[in-house]
Amino acid sequence: MNKMETILEVRGLSKRFTIHQLGREIVAFDDLNFTLREGEFILVSGPNGVGKSTLLRCLYRTCRASAGSALYQSRYGEIDLTRAADVDIAKLRREEIGHVTQFLRPRPRVSALELVSEPLLAAEPLASNGGGIPPQAEELLAAFGLKPELWGAYPTTFSGGEQQKVNLARALIQKRRLLLLDEPTASLDAAARAALIDRLRALKQSGVAIIGVFHHAEDVVAAGLVDGEVRLALPASAPAWSGAQSVRDQNEDDDVAE
């Protein structure tokens, strides 16, 4: 059996916020350790306010960790996401690391199709075959259930659920090596959630590594997508890691037994 390559190794990762008005420090999470391999899906869980979204932002580098490292194996070699230069982070975001947030920030007078197409056209200018809009944009919007009559409209006028469908299509149109999902299903209907699960399953099978925070965690658990779990706890108790390593070890033991 071929072993999957490690794509991300997180060691001692911590994040603290200083509230100057109160003169105190708030711990989001402390001393997190986990490893992610190609094609694995790690679920980040825990009660509200324990730093689940903050963890993803630290890995995407929209905020900086206070301590620790996140060693990512890029196509260009190993890079520590906590210390890399901004220009290197920007390149990884364009080419390798995707981040799906809870909210779309649409620009005025830009259609849904144009917004969805932008990441793919930026990375692969010939993807549209001269037609302006790559076919993948329409395919994804249709899969997530956005009505065709809205494809040419401006998402600034859409409902929250409609905007999230555009958001997901935009985030998933270009294949990434590492995908960070922050509550992607919070405002989706059941049909759109099912379409997302199908898409994530296909990405996972193709080797994409995924770390996700889910409002409806039962969807990804029931679908058998989850390989491990990072459980964050309130500061009174230490954050715990369980899952990917132990699940992997169990699977490997089973292979040996066979």
Side-chain angles (χ1 to χ4, degrees), residues 4-5 7 36-41 175-179 200-210:
M4 295 179 292
E5 296 293 330
I7 193 171
L36 177 68
R37 294 182 182 177
E38 293 175 340
E40 283 189 334
F41 187 120
K175 183 182 175 181
R176 309 298 183 128
R177 298 184 67 236
L178 174 61
L179 188 58
L200 295 180
R201 181 181 291 107
L203 291 173
K204 187 174 183 290
Q205 290 172 347
S206 71
V208 177
I210 303 171

Side-chain angles (χ1 to χ4, degrees), residues 16-70:
R16 297 175 175 83
F17 295 95
T18 300
I19 310 299
H20 295 283
Q21 180 184 0
L22 301 177
R24 59 179 296 191
E25 190 176 71
I26 302 296
V27 178
F29 52 81
D30 189 50
D31 195 27
L32 286 181
N33 299 277
F34 63 89
T35 299
L36 177 68
R37 294 182 182 177
E38 293 175 340
E40 283 189 334
F41 187 120
I42 287 179
L43 178 67
V44 182
S45 65
N48 291 338
V50 295
K52 300 187 295 295
S53 295
T54 300
L55 170 59
L56 298 188
R57 290 198 295 270
C58 285
L59 295 176
Y60 197 60
R61 258 285 292 281
T62 50
C63 71
R64 286 185 178 269
S66 303
S69 62

